[in-house]
Amino acid sequence: MPGRPTPQELETVLRTPYHDRSPRVLEVLKALPDDVDPALAARAAVGLIGNSYHPAWLFARTCRRLPVPVILAVLEQLESDRRPHSFILREYVRRDLNADALAAEWDEAMQVLLDLETTYAWGSKQKRAKFQALAARPRVVQALQTAAVACEQVSLDLLAVLAADASEASLDALIPHVERAVRQQDWELDRLQALRTHARSTPVMDDLFSRMQALLAARRARSPALDFARRLGFGEPEVFWFRVHLSSAAFNGVPAYRHQGHVTVDSRSATWFAISVSDSNPADILHSRGTSFNSDEVHRDELGLGTCEPAGLPSWLAAAAERLPTRWNFDGMSLTTSLRGKKRDQLERWLRG
């Protein structure tokens, strides 16, 4: 379908879901004709919004230049959507503007979504610059406040902009997220503590983070991982953690690296113990089977390996290897840990069984 598509070709492309990998969906959405069916184009655009770590990135990157009728149709389709990006768009883009102003405001909103989904390192200068720039724009901050108040689950980047702003309204939007994490004492508390990197220092903000830090320290001090360390003969450490990555060796015609195993024990984390094992079919590496569980729940057990307590980990790994079947390549094992010297060697010997 080279060149400008005919109306029939355009309709065919827009009706093809993006997950079916139509090669022209993105291309067409970037250059829609003014006379396109707004509802049809809007459905195709909204279809780009996913549920991944960066759900709105592809949507925002592709849909910056939509015709105004399509923009209005997108906003209408998102009217009942309860996800953060929808609240941001509805709050930021004023529908009563003239066409040129509305298109410009839509483009600004798309850039806001992109700035909230960058992949820069958390403490990098680039990340800080993005947050500071967004926090300096009152209408952007207002839109983010609306999303934070309306949604229990929002990105850490969005909350970081509110922390950088640190106004009374931003604190009002941020504090319920902190209070919820304090009540639940789960991993969310660890996540929110990271906001301190970008927060503006104010008495209220500093007190908020001091409170979170005290709660984290108390939780870590009573972590089951520390009792586990004592049972393994490592004394009374203030912190105990290790992470292991195992892969299989070539075995009975099964290629190396087909089977992967990951183990985490960490007294600093609310989820202090986690295991995952995967079996990747070399003919279809995108669709692996797996067993995954942690100290709180079982996520899946497609491999039928069952679960174990941390103390039974070496025996569980041996039984898993027999069931798969495979052989773990302990000589190539990746082990990082808070332990050093002889204690690290002792941990490695214990893992080998």
Side-chain angles (χ1 to χ4, degrees):
M1 196 169 64
R4 182 183 175 90
T6 66
Q8 293 79 10
E9 292 170 333
L10 182 65
E11 180 176 347
T12 298
V13 171
L14 292 176
R15 289 189 184 280
T16 303
Y18 176 68
H19 58 74
D20 287 347
R21 293 295 187 266
S22 170
R24 297 205 65 187
V25 171
L26 302 184
E27 178 186 341
V28 163
L29 284 171
K30 289 179 180 179
L32 289 170
D34 291 335
D35 60 352
V36 70
D37 180 343
L40 177 61
R43 283 195 295 272
V46 172
L48 299 182
I49 302 173
N51 297 308
S52 64
Y53 184 67
H54 295 293
W57 182 86
L58 184 62
F59 166 76
R61 182 174 179 268
T62 304
C63 299
R64 300 187 67 156
R65 303 291 186 266
L66 299 179
V68 168
V70 179
I71 293 173
L72 293 172
V74 169
L75 292 172
E76 183 177 352
Q77 288 195 22
L78 294 177
E79 191 64 44
S80 61
D81 193 305
R82 305 295 297 175
R83 291 174 292 180
H85 55 265
S86 297
F87 284 99
I88 293 169
L89 293 178
R90 294 199 299 266
E91 181 70 22
Y92 192 86
V93 182
R94 293 169 291 186
R95 307 184 203 189
D96 58 351
L97 299 174
N98 65 52
D100 290 342
L102 191 149
E105 210 155 82
W106 174 264
D107 183 65
E108 292 171 9
M110 293 297 100
Q111 186 60 54
V112 170
L113 295 182
L114 291 172
D115 288 345
L116 290 173
E117 297 197 4
T118 63
T119 56
Y120 296 120
W122 181 250
S124 67
K125 292 181 179 179
Q126 297 95 328
K127 200 82 161 176
R128 180 177 297 276
K130 291 284 187 185
F131 293 156
Q132 293 293 334
L134 291 172
R137 297 167 59 187
R139 288 197 60 238
V140 171
V141 172
Q142 182 178 342
L144 302 189
Q145 290 166 352
T146 298
V149 169
C151 306
E152 287 194 4
Q153 294 184 344
V154 297
S155 72
L156 197 63
D157 287 32
L158 187 155
L159 295 178
V161 177
L162 300 185
D165 173 59
S167 65
E168 184 176 348
S170 286
L171 282 168
D172 286 344
L174 176 63
I175 285 175
H177 293 268
V178 176
E179 291 180 341
R180 192 159 43 246
V182 167
R183 287 196 306 271
Q184 296 172 355
Q185 290 283 301
D186 60 5
W187 66 272
E188 183 72 0
L189 196 60
D190 303 75
R191 188 177 82 113
L192 294 182
Q193 180 68 14
L195 293 174
R196 193 164 203 164
T197 301
H198 299 287
R200 181 160 64 92
S201 180
T202 68
V204 175
M205 191 69 76
D206 292 345
D207 180 69
L208 193 66
F209 285 114
S210 295
R211 182 185 172 203
M212 283 196 287
Q213 183 58 44
L215 288 169
L216 284 170
R219 191 192 69 197
R220 291 167 182 171
R222 61 176 185 269
S223 170
L226 298 180
D227 181 60
F228 182 43
R230 289 189 287 270
R231 293 175 62 187
L232 292 178
F234 297 134
E236 301 285 340
E238 293 184 5
V239 173
F240 174 59
W241 63 267
F242 66 85
R243 299 185 186 92
V244 178
H245 171 244
L246 279 169
S247 58
S248 57
F251 172 64
N252 284 357
V254 176
Y257 306 110
R258 172 169 177 171
H259 300 110
Q260 307 282 328
H262 298 267
V263 180
T264 299
V265 168
D266 195 336
S267 65
R268 303 165 300 179
S269 176
T271 304
W272 68 274
F273 173 55
I275 296 179
S276 66
V277 172
S278 63
D279 180 354
S280 300
N281 184 343
D284 188 11
I285 60 174
L286 295 179
H287 298 88
S288 64
R289 298 182 303 140
T291 290
S292 176
F293 61 93
N294 59 35
S295 48
D296 298 322
E297 60 184 326
V298 177
H299 297 294
R300 59 176 180 160
D301 189 15
E302 297 155 344
L303 300 176
L305 303 180
T307 64
C308 72
E309 294 298 319
L313 176 60
S315 298
W316 187 89
L317 288 172
E322 184 175 351
R323 181 176 178 87
L324 286 172
T326 192
R327 288 178 179 170
W328 298 119
N329 180 15
F330 284 104
D331 291 336
M333 174 174 58
S334 171
L335 171 63
T336 56
T337 177
S338 56
L339 301 173
R340 297 292 181 266
K342 293 181 179 179
K343 289 183 178 179
R344 186 188 187 282
D345 295 339
Q346 179 182 340
L347 175 63
E348 183 172 342
R349 289 194 299 271
W350 177 78
L351 288 166
R352 288 172 177 264

